Amino acid sequence: MNYLSKRRTAVGAMFFFVGLCFSTWASRIPDIQTKFNLSEGQLGTLLLFLPIGSVIGLPIAGWAVHRFGSRSVSIFGGVAYALTLPLIGLSTSTWMLLPVLICYGMLGNVMNISMNTQGLNLEDQMGKSILASFHGLWSLAGFTGAGLGAALILLGMNPAQHFGVVTLISLTIIFFAKGLIVKEEKSSGGGGLVLKKPDSLLLRVSLIAFLGMMAEGCMFDWSGVYFKKVILADPELVALGYVAFMGAMASGRFVTDKLAARYTKVAVIQVSGFLIFAGLLIAVLFPHVWAATFGFLLVGLGVASIIPLSYGIAGRSKLYSPSVALALVSTISFFGFLLGPPLIGFVAELFDLKISFALVAMCGMGILLLSSFRKKVFLIPPKFPKKVST
């Protein structure tokens, strides 16, 4: 295995550990609810503090990576992220848990920006698109974390013990990967806290990512409810749509780079927008188990490429350094992830859930339109230099 391949493995391992930590926390949310005797409303309020921390962490991450480099931020941030996980399980009251969740959300986005900056730097050195495969490993870690969580629950481990096991796995990954996490060359783009207006490229990409994240958030939170209340699926099939969506999204990310290299990133984003639109329309017009499952599978394939390709395009900005450009796009797109699920509930309350999903289908059409008109915005010379000699 040559040097660049080893680096790719190391960066991929770091993406995997971040996804493993996040999915581990998510797998024990029901236990956290039981531990503190929380109602659904109280749990929803508690969970809100994680995205609050994420929003706080976005501009800090952009500044930190620009100031100290993605290598230092990835390693030290990764250790902090792994060590914060057990604190969630060790919290003895909700008042103790709240600042831990805020910190966990902040560190999650610190890792998001720093690791994607590492991915873009390696992409430049390898001379080809590879960022989506790293996001695929993050998604794969979600399945791994859920499976590991189920196994450790069967063994009788409480959340604190479970989180401790995952922390040890995470620290081991960081220890073996850190030697191949390198400092990127200093960018000439603007840095500092993200307080500036995006240029035309970043604004377009941010809107595309916003719509993609809105569709993704809706599918995460509402696909099971849709199968239960609209499809009227049998109890054992209620999760089928969610599994189809998640499986397609994870799988799609492993082929996105090859498709982007062959057909261009913008073309893949166009097709992705159409798949989101068509998939949700199928689920709305044909509310039957297998038709809706197929529709959700198409949505998963569509969502798969939006964020990694948006990040890849944003990282080529001439105006900002990659870390700051990523933070800008992440800040705007993340609000789509937060806004989408409540909007679904509000529209469903006024009309019904099918109308809500039909509106989310418009996110896919919006992506298709935004990536199709005035495409010269995307025409930035690639930053792929000659491959580094091995």
Side-chain angles (χ1 to χ4, degrees):
M1 184 183 293
N2 63 37
Y3 173 70
L4 290 181
S5 296
K6 290 178 180 178
R7 275 202 62 203
R8 184 173 184 176
T9 300
V11 173
M14 293 289 286
F15 270 88
F16 184 87
F17 117 71
V18 174
L20 181 65
C21 283
F22 183 81
S23 61
T24 295
W25 139 251
S27 71
R28 299 308 290 253
I29 288 176
D31 297 287
I32 298 295
Q33 181 180 20
T34 301
K35 178 180 179 179
F36 296 112
N37 194 27
L38 302 174
S39 66
E40 277 71 19
Q42 290 171 327
L43 179 63
T45 302
L46 182 71
L47 295 179
L48 185 62
F49 285 87
L50 194 71
I52 287 174
S54 297
V55 172
I56 295 172
L58 280 167
I60 296 172
W63 169 81
V65 173
H66 183 81
R67 174 68 177 81
F68 301 107
S70 62
R71 181 184 190 275
S72 297
V73 176
S74 295
I75 294 172
F76 290 106
V79 171
Y81 190 61
L83 292 176
T84 303
L85 182 60
L87 297 180
I88 298 175
L90 293 172
S91 297
T92 57
S93 69
T94 53
W95 291 110
M96 184 182 296
L97 185 57
L98 291 182
V100 175
L101 288 180
I102 291 175
C103 183
Y104 198 61
M106 289 177 60
L107 289 169
N109 261 329
V110 166
M111 293 304 294
N112 175 37
I113 301 303
S114 62
M115 290 312 305
N116 276 286
T117 303
Q118 275 284 314
L120 285 170
N121 177 254
L122 182 57
E123 197 172 72
D124 290 344
Q125 292 191 5
M126 295 187 73
K128 61 181 181 179
S129 179
I130 58 172
L131 195 60
S133 64
F134 293 138
H135 287 251
L137 287 169
W138 190 95
S139 299
L140 182 63
F143 287 102
T144 305
L148 179 62
L152 295 182
I153 288 171
L154 284 175
L155 291 174
M157 281 196 178
N158 62 40
Q161 294 169 327
H162 177 185
F163 295 166
V165 169
V166 172
T167 293
L168 289 176
I169 295 173
S170 300
L171 293 176
T172 302
I173 291 174
I174 295 170
F175 177 79
F176 284 104
K178 66 182 178 65
L180 291 165
I181 304 298
V182 303
K183 186 175 182 179
E184 72 277 9
E185 293 182 6
K186 193 69 175 179
S187 171
S188 60
L193 289 173
V194 181
L195 298 173
K196 303 175 184 178
K197 180 182 177 181
D199 60 10
S200 57
L201 170 74
L202 292 184
L203 183 59
R204 182 77 66 88
V205 172
S206 296
L207 290 174
I208 289 171
F210 174 90
L211 294 173
M213 288 286 276
M214 179 176 284
E216 186 175 334
C218 291
M219 294 301 293
F220 274 129
D221 289 4
W222 287 94
S223 55
V225 179
Y226 190 84
F227 262 61
K228 182 177 181 179
K229 294 191 174 181
V230 176
I231 306 300
L232 302 177
D234 295 333
E236 64 271 18
L237 296 178
V238 165
L240 186 61
Y242 178 78
V243 171
F245 165 76
M246 283 295 296
M249 184 175 72
S251 302
R253 284 179 168 167
F254 287 108
V255 299
T256 291
D257 290 318
K258 290 184 178 180
L259 292 173
R262 182 169 182 177
Y263 300 107
T264 76
K265 292 177 180 177
V266 175
V268 175
I269 288 175
Q270 290 173 323
V271 174
S272 297
F274 175 76
L275 288 175
I276 293 170
F277 173 74
L280 285 169
L281 208 60
I282 288 171
V284 169
L285 296 177
F286 305 99
H288 308 289
V289 171
W290 299 112
T293 299
F294 176 68
F296 281 20
L297 184 146
L298 293 182
V299 177
L301 290 175
V303 165
S305 69
I306 299 299
I307 292 302
L309 292 186
S310 295
Y311 282 7
I313 294 172
R316 312 295 166 207
S317 171
K318 292 181 178 179
L319 186 61
Y320 297 98
S321 66
S323 61
V324 175
L326 288 175
L328 272 166
V329 173
S330 295
T331 301
I332 295 172
S333 65
F334 192 73
F335 282 105
F337 195 78
L338 294 179
L339 178 64
L343 182 63
I344 282 267
F346 178 72
V347 174
E349 187 76 20
L350 289 177
F351 303 100
D352 61 44
L353 208 51
K354 288 177 68 175
I355 297 295
S356 295
F357 271 64
L359 289 176
V360 178
M362 293 300 105
C363 290
M365 181 56 66
I367 290 169
L368 177 58
L369 293 175
L370 285 168
S371 56
S372 298
F373 78 93
R374 292 181 59 203
K375 290 196 290 184
K376 65 180 182 179
V377 169
F378 299 106
L379 297 179
I380 290 182
K383 291 174 65 178
F384 293 152
K386 292 181 180 180
K387 294 182 182 181
V388 174
S389 60
T390 59

